[in-house]
Amino acid sequence: MNFVTPLFLAAFMLLLASAVLAIVTRKKFSLVCVALTALACVFLISGALQIGRSDSLWKLSGPFYLGVAPLSFRFDALSAVFSALLGLIALCAALFSHAYLKHLSGRINQKYYWCSLNLFVLGMLGVFLAANAITFLVSWEIMSLSSAALVVWNFSESKGQKAALIYLGATRLATAFLSAGFLWFHHAFDSWDFAKWHFNQADLLVPSMMVALGLFIKSGIWPFHIWLPYAHPSAPSSVSALMSGVMVKVAVYALLRFFLIDGSGSIYLAWVCIALGAISSFWGVLFAFVQSDIKKLLAYSTVENLGMIFLAAGICLYAQVAQLKEIAALAFVAVIFHSINHGLFKSLLFFCAGAIDSAVHSRKLDSLGGLINKMPATTGSFLIGSTAASALPPLNGFVGKWLIYQSLFMLAASETERAMNVLAMILIGLLSFVGGLALAVFAKMFAVVFLGRPRSPAAENASECSKLMNAIPAALAVLCLVCGCFAGPLITYFCRMHPLYSAVSLPSLPIGQIAFLFLAFAIFFYLAFLRKNGERIRYFSTWDCGYGSLLPKMQVNSQSFAHSVGTIFGHLLQYVTHFEIGGHDRRHFPERIKAETVMISLLESRIYGPALALVRLLNRHFSKLQAGSIHLYLLYVFLVLVAMIVIEVLA
Amino acid sequence: MMNEVNLLTVTAAVFAIMMSGSGQSRTNLLLYAMQTFFIALACLAQAEAKGSPELYTVVIGIIVIKVLTVPYFLSWLANKIEARSDPGAFLPIPLTMHVSILLFALSHFLALGLPLFKGIGSVASDATGAISLLLTGMLFMLTRRFALGQIIGFLTLENGIFLFAVTQTKGMPFIIEMGILLDVLVAVMIGGLFVFRIQKSFEHIDVTQLNGLKE
Amino acid sequence: MILTSANLVFIVTLTIMPFLLIGVIKKIKACFQNRVGPPVFQSLYNLVKLFNKDEILSKDCSWIFRSGPLISFSGMLLLCLSVPWLPLQPPVPGCDIFLFVYVLALIRFFSIISSIDAGSPFSSFAASREATLSFLAEPAFVLALVALGISAHSSDLALIFGQPIENNRIPLSVWFFSGLALFLSGIVELSRMPIDDPSTHLELTMVHEAMVIENSGPNLALVEWSYALKLLLFFGLIAQCFVYSLSKIIALPPLLLPLSVLVVMLALGCLTAMIESFSVKLSWGKNPDFIAYAVSMSLLSSLAAFAMNGGS
Amino acid sequence: MISIIEPKDEMELLPALKQWLQNDEHRLGLITSLDGKQLVTLLLDLASRQAKCWITEFAGDSYRSFTSSVPQAHWFERALFDMYGLLPKGHPRLKPALLNEAYSGIFAPLRSLAEHDEGKSYERDLSYMDVGGEGVYEVPVGPVHAGIIEPGHFRLSCMGERILNLEIRLGFLHRGVEKRLTEVPLTKTRFIAEAVASDTAAANAIASAQAIESLAGLVVPEKAVCLRALALEIERLSMHVCDLGGMAADLGCGAISAAFSRLRGSVFRLGELLSGSRFLRAYILPGGVARDADRYLAEFARTLKPLRKELNVVIDSFISDAMVLERLDGVGVLSPAFAKEFGLVGVAGRASAVSYDVRKVFQNKILPEPRIRFESAGDALSRTKIRVFEIGTSLDLIEQLLASLPSGPIAVAAPELLVPDSIAVGIVEAFRGELIHMISTDNKGRIKRYAVKDPSLNNWTGLAIAVRNNFLADFPVCNKSFGLSYSGHDL
């Protein structure tokens, strides 16, 4: 008995109902909305789990025809995986929001929030299930607009305005490219059905690049990443979790669906993916290191992880062209697995960031510290999230990264073009560098937020937030651990999803055993050496060189931790420290010194800024053409007509 | 596969790469001497292989002039003008080393693409070291700020040309090779004098400052 | 884990060798300073002493503080049992290059956060230094191993190292350059001169020593023990690189292989001691230049790996 | 030498001082007070080899601060505030120099008991500058240090690895030396004087003896003058070798540091042969020296000869090492302008183009003149180079003194009482630089006020300025290259 279609249908309906309910009712709707959304997510997950390997198609016809094509949905393993992820994160986000919104109460319109959130989830679900271009675009638009609405919730602040504008601009651009590409494909294949399209045909390079470009923009990969660090800090944490955990994966899903799953590949797209992926993983982690706002840091880390996913996708594409089956299968699994991983740990981290924000009312790393004693549960989840994000064994982040490394390693050792071997080698070097930096980023963040002494009174007086807000990150942390330790079956499952590689056997890692041995060692040595000393521990203040109590300022903070890196990569980061020395005799006896470090985003200042300025300049000139006189417009029409006739005649 | 000459030339090139990663004059000179010594050895191996006796004289000439005299003279000079280290220009010095490794890989591919002089029994991959030396020398000259670095870069470049000639041709006439050696010596001496002059008139030997002399 | 003769040798050397290495380094340094120096096994005696001592903890620190040494020791021990630092099959199979690198990273992560935990100004800036240095050196370390792996057509460390000589397909130059790269990045990872001075008393210049400045008693013992194991692990791998590259020139009898690796490890200890007696600790700003050398060596090693791989 | 005493009006003091310092041959020696009712400004005229005291009487317990025009004065004024509670009005950074948190606000050590009974309390500003800006953190170092050194607290404000500001707090060792020196009998003075800073025992003893001798009108026998100079140079040699060894240890060259320590032992041996004490203690007394070394001179020469050779080998291998040069080059730069304005002395001064050396100006004419060298880079390298050069100079001087040692008595008897109502100073080039002991007598010829100015007093500010914008990890190297004294400062 197949319950898939009804389950999904129910999920759709419930989401829609929840969205409508939020707007319509006037009373205490929040709880009902949460319940409806959560129920929808549960249906979603159970539906996704039931899909298995059988594909099925479900069409909505009649009134939902939309003029050109019916809304049609397809349920297969790939969409199942991603919708399961969506269901899970959306469930968490809905439950989390319920508690979290109290923190924002007064500043956020809850009706508006719940409606947008439900639509957002609905849109993403639509994209994951879309079987034709129209359905895809419609869902895509719902997703983009509702997420934009969620980003702009504090439109009154100028920061929020800027974030919303940049985000909206990026989404518009992405939709524009996608639509153009889809139109072209429709023209080529005379159908809106994805099943009939072949993206990797050599003569359709231009439209597939357009589609890819749209996806790149949406995924926030370099150099289109600039909307991420604006949108994430601006949106509420639960939305950031959903955006970073799932929404950017929509682009990955589309990439998989359009370009990867059919087993052919375009070599040009492979190069683009590899290049942009490599650059953005490096760029993202480097910028993440020097950030001092938790959510900005997490946003840049998303850029890094997306970079790695796209890098793996590029390798998969290349290997498909070069007929390297094993590598292609590895990279394919890596793309899916790391998308899931990133969805899990990044949303976990964003939820924790929300919890911290609601407890301390600050996201500035340099005003936190010492939260481990105040928020023990959040600390535990955050620690697991950080270790997963730094790709440390035995967590899921490591397995994802290991798959990418392994595919690169096999590529470097394979008998293919020599240049590709060398490139794979260089990419391994780059990834290890990125890995080292990511470790530094998350070690810094964890240590500055949770350890040491509190750096502000707010952090001093923080207290643990509600149980629900603790339970959700904790559940995700457990999932991270499970996905890491029992990665073997998952890897096999993901590999089977690809129609061509289901028989390929992949190298595997005894990560579960290693983790078990490690744990056994740790417990044994704890019991052997540390525990029996319990009564022989004396407590004393931290070594202060005999001067007296240490101030909160006397421990390294986020910016100082990253300062060396900032100076080493000063050119890329545009990292400059300004000094302000004041006083009556500032040469000999300065009375005030102030040091301020500024960073100007190279891309924004050198590329996007001038480009925007150019557009504005052109606008100013072109606006003269639009004088508002009907005669002028008639003149234009006339001129165009004449021009077309001339062209026709000449042709 | 590797033969002796190849191994020696590649070793010389590796020394040149290591040289390009150091900003210290004395380390540079030491590594230059090592590099030239291995070139002399390569020359010796070539002499063995081809049985050309006049090459032995050239080897002795290289060792006396380029391995011993020139580095010694330059390190004396560096001491004299207190040019201990070079801060580098255009590119950070550690990056120069990585770029020169890239150039090394490039010269490997380039050498594989060279037309072979099959008749004289040379192997294309021998040229890897020579081309790499040439490129590294040029890069070295480009990335150093002080005149001493330019001289060392020039010498490395010259080593590359010499090595190319030795490994890829049947061998230049003896007299020309010796002449080149003497030329190098003279060039270094004159270069040293220039360094002194620059030092004297500008109080430092930063050649980027010479740009300011243009009208 | 089955108790074979190889495993027995492995475990016996694992218990003695780390302390011997540290002892030899200290002894030779003392020699250069006209001192008699501590007994060779002093670090072992120190360990026993520390395990019997009381522990002082900072009031500001949490459970993270004590987890750092514990995780670092357990991880090191795990690595020492699964990485073939002696040319024998390790007791625990299945460690590949990337797992090795990332278990080291796990240890580093926890040592960084545990050093910041107490909120000491010294250990927290040392943690920042450790993070900076290690990610700069990471590519050198990984690429050196990967170059070996590419030549051996496997990423399993047991198939790269720990092989009998006749099975060893990796060319001399790859062994040699990887050995150099591992040595240079090992200096960074092990915080030895000229990156970090392990015998200095100056808190402001230290890296590793300042990170563990708050540890005491059994906690400190675990830190020191895991450091000794790390030294063993790195020196074992480096020594194997050099021994294998030597074995390409001189035929070594297979039975002598583990022995000669042990000898080379001690020789590396001597070399380290010499560097530490005569070299100058680099200025903080010059450390990236030093690490650039390590990266260069690993790049050369990978180039060699490709050049030699071409024939097959 | 007996200094010329000139009364100066409070209003004309500052312009006069500014005018005095316009001349390159003039220096400000010391600003202090006799009993808290006046300012004593000691001025040195290097051309005419004279010392001059301006005595400014003023009412109340505050005066106009000089610091804004004469930066060198700031530490003197801080010390005056600590010792007498004299408030310098308009001082930009009036923080304790000699006292710390442990002393109550009422306590001013050199004020009379009567004034203490009045119960006047002083607000001591014990804060540190709070360097602003995001990402700035503070590293407190000391007063208990990891090495076995004396207490001092350094508050470093850093941005990452860069030092933005250093504030130095000393005074943890306040021992009441100056007060005690006025209380003990004249015959015991020398023991306390040489304990002002025990690594500078000979120089302190000589300065003290010189001041007392001038007040007693004694002429020291020539042989004693030469033996004293010998002791001074041995001390200089030993401490410079020690400092170089410390520098080598801080840079991490264990072997070279050990070699320096061993050689310092040989220098101690020289001191023992000369004076009977390895640290030259209890050797110099007013009127001459305590012991004739004739019997040991042969042994002395035998020890000296190989020492010079060995020292040269070790120093060469240290200072010609390219890595050492690179390491020290450009670290801890103190520009000549700052050095001049803060009146730096000694090695640190000569490394920043302040060529002043007491031996050139104030020493006895019969002694051989030292070669003086100065550098203008002002970095740790130049300080090390100057130190190396001075080791050579000291060895030369020791050889010259040994070759031309006059014969005759080694001491004359010292009197019980001194010339009343006058001020005398003893100025010596200690190994750290200009050391001044100033003694003022009351109307009965007893010591009324004994002031000591250690060379470190001039130089601590130099250190604080030199480390700005350096790497945090370079602070020990900067500190060692200055090689300053804590106990000499904390009297």
Side-chain angles (χ1 to χ4, degrees), chain A residues 365-371 373-374 447-456 459-460 541-544 549-556, chain C residues 58-61 116-121 124, chain D residues 138 140:
Chain A
L365 286 171
D366 288 346
S367 58
L368 301 169
L371 291 183
N373 300 318
K374 279 115 194 169
V448 170
V449 172
F450 292 103
L451 306 179
R453 287 178 299 280
R455 292 179 178 77
S456 68
E460 181 98 55
S541 54
T542 306
W543 173 236
D544 52 9
S549 57
L550 292 168
L551 305 174
K553 211 180 176 185
M554 291 171 184
Q555 47 188 343
V556 86
Chain C
S58 163
K59 277 180 239 162
D60 292 331
C61 72
I116 295 181
D117 192 23
S120 156
S124 58
Chain D
E138 288 181 356

Side-chain angles (χ1 to χ4, degrees), chain C residues 176-191:
Chain C
F176 181 71
F177 283 123
S178 284
L180 278 181
L182 286 178
F183 183 62
L184 294 180
S185 57
I187 284 178
V188 182
E189 287 272 337
L190 296 166
S191 2

